[in-house]
Every structure is written in structure tokens, then in C-alpha cells.
Amino acid sequence: MNYFSGIDVGAVSTEAVIIDTGGEISGYSIVETGANSTEAADEAFDKALLDAGIHREAVEDIAATGYGRISVPLAEKTVTEISCHALGAQHLFPGTGTVIDIGGQDSKVIRVGDSGKVLDFTMNDKCAAGTGRFLEVMASKLRVSLDEMGGLSLRAKGEVHISSVCTVFAESEVVSLVARNHPKEEIIKGLHRAITNRVWSMVNSVGVYGEVTMSGGVAKNRGVVTLMEEKLGRTVRVYAEPQIIGALGAALFARKQSRKAA
């Protein structure tokens, strides 16, 4: 059997996915990008091979995506992350018409048409507001882990209003709220609300079509997902490992390219 791989080199993490000819995920990995994108891509690919239980020679084609996609000599082609998240999300959830991707350093809302084609999108990559980095900074100030934030938010009996989505100003607000002994759960829910409101403005600019799928690391945060579902008034689809959707899309593009060449 032939296999295909996609490697998504992000600012914070790098993901690699290996699929078989039927498009099923055979293996994947997630590693920190660190200071060297090429080394991160190699490490992620090797770990995905190990997870799939195959050798490099079994992989027919590789495509790279993400901000560091040009730093992946392994890859035969590069694809934009917008296209990869659209294709990957619709592959996992065929009814997907809208993708909300909240990554470590940027956020995107994508309108998806038939066969995973991108019809429209908007992106925030100029500011940490509405991204995983925003939550990472706030978690540090609150002395909780990122993994804890979702559960703590869901346990909040109320919430505080965070007036700024600017990371610097919101950080000052959080320090002040902690000093006034506001419960951490309520502060975290307020932070999640701030992120949701920021992303919601992007959703409104693109519109909501079909089923909504969330990708990216922040999709693991059930507190954010729950608030987004409240805003949307509908269920949001979240894959078991939402961080690999971009890499999955790249692998699907590699498979498509191979079929065209055949």
C-alpha cells in the first residue's frame, strides 16, 4: 500500500500526518517547532512514520503547509494553510461549510464549498488577540496550565468582563482582577468570552454556512468551544485531535497530486 504525508509547520507547533490511499489516517505526530523549522518537520515526520509503523520509502508524496512550509525539503509541494484546513475539516466532517481555526499565533474563519474548496476567508495574523498565544499568556498570569483552562471555565458560576482583547491590556486587567480576589474560574470564562467575541466578528464577516468545524489547538479548550456554540446557536464539530487538521489537508493534497501525475 502507498502512503501520503502532510507536514504543517506552525509558529508554535509542527504536525505531520500520514494517510493511506483511502484517506484514512495511519499515523500522526505533534512536536514543538522551536528555532529550526526544518528540524521540526523532520522530527514530526519521523515520529508520524513510527506511529504509522511504516518506513519512509512507503510514503509516495509529501506536501507541506503552514508559515514554515518553504523550510521543508522533504516536501514535493507546498499548499496554503487556508486550503489545507478547509480540505482536512471537510474530509473529517463532510457537512462542513465553515471552519474556525484558532492556532497559536493566528486565527482564521473559512467558508468551504464542495470538495473542500475555499470560497472565502478572513484571517487575523497581526495581533495575538483571539489566538492560543493570548490564552498562553493569561494562563501563566493565573498560574494554571492551558489544559486546565477549559474545565475551570465550565465550572465558573459567573464571569468577569475583560474589556480588552489586546494581550498587553488584558494581562493588566487579569493582574488587577486577581489582586481583587475574583475567582480564577470567572476570570478564565471572561477571557474565553473575549476570544470568542473577537473570533465572532470574523465569523460575521464570512458568514456561517453548513456545519461548523473548529481546528487548531484552541479547539481542545472546551470552554471556548462551548461559548462559540452559544454564539452560533448550533453544535461545533471538533475532531479528537484538532491540531492535525491542517497537516491532514496537506496529506490529502499530496494524494490528489499523486493521482494527477499517475
Side-chain angles (χ1 to χ4, degrees):
M1 180 181 287
N2 292 332
Y3 296 87
F4 307 90
S5 181
I7 301 173
D8 182 2
V9 183
V12 177
S13 63
T14 294
E15 296 80 31
V17 168
I18 294 172
I19 61 172
D20 61 24
T21 51
E24 294 296 315
I25 297 174
S26 302
Y28 71 87
S29 72
I30 302 171
V31 304
E32 290 185 7
T33 300
N36 191 310
S37 298
T38 302
E39 288 181 3
D42 286 341
E43 181 186 359
F45 182 54
D46 286 341
K47 288 185 174 180
L49 288 170
L50 189 62
D51 190 44
I54 61 172
H55 296 290
R56 282 191 177 215
E57 293 74 21
V59 178
E60 187 173 324
D61 278 300
I62 304 170
T65 190
Y67 95 100
R69 60 185 178 273
I70 61 171
S71 304
V72 186
L74 285 167
E76 283 84 8
K77 70 171 300 183
T78 60
V79 192
T80 69
E81 57 263 46
I82 302 291
S83 297
C84 288
H85 279 271
L87 185 61
Q90 199 173 82
H91 179 77
L92 293 170
F93 302 107
T96 298
T98 306
V99 177
I100 299 171
D101 170 48
I102 308 179
Q105 298 283 6
D106 63 33
S107 51
K108 319 171 190 70
V109 178
I110 311 164
R111 181 182 173 189
V112 187
D114 294 340
S115 303
K117 182 180 179 181
V118 176
L119 300 180
D120 193 12
F121 75 93
T122 185
M123 181 175 182
N124 162 40
D125 61 353
K126 306 298 182 188
C127 171
T131 70
R133 176 60 181 162
F134 176 85
L135 286 180
E136 184 181 333
V137 171
M138 301 310 156
S140 175
K141 286 296 172 185
L142 290 165
R143 297 186 179 180
V144 299
S145 71
L146 279 172
D147 291 340
E148 290 178 291
M149 292 187 86
L152 288 168
S153 174
L154 293 175
R155 291 203 295 271
K157 294 179 180 178
E159 68 182 90
V160 297
H161 175 66
I162 306 295
S163 60
S164 176
V165 288
C166 170
T167 303
V168 175
F169 293 127
E171 189 177 352
S172 296
E173 281 190 68
V174 166
V175 170
S176 177
L177 289 165
V178 169
R180 297 203 301 269
N181 293 318
H182 279 281
K184 284 185 180 181
E185 294 87 348
E186 296 183 5
I187 298 172
I188 291 168
K189 188 169 183 179
L191 291 166
H192 288 169
R193 182 80 65 187
I195 275 197
T196 304
N197 288 342
R198 176 63 183 248
V199 175
W200 181 248
S201 66
M202 298 169 65
V203 172
N204 280 334
S205 72
V206 173
V208 180
Y209 302 87
E211 294 181 0
V212 179
T213 297
M214 276 187 72
S215 62
V218 176
K220 296 178 180 180
N221 185 316
R222 191 62 216 174
V224 173
V225 174
T226 297
L227 291 178
M228 189 60 68
E229 288 178 330
E230 286 180 12
K231 279 279 193 185
L232 290 162
R234 64 176 74 189
T235 299
V236 171
R237 307 286 184 182
V238 180
Y239 184 59
E241 182 43 86
Q243 267 184 267
I244 68 170
I245 290 180
L248 170 62
L252 292 167
F253 272 110
R255 183 182 67 156
K256 187 185 296 186
Q257 184 73 15
S258 180
R259 286 178 173 177
K260 284 181 181 178

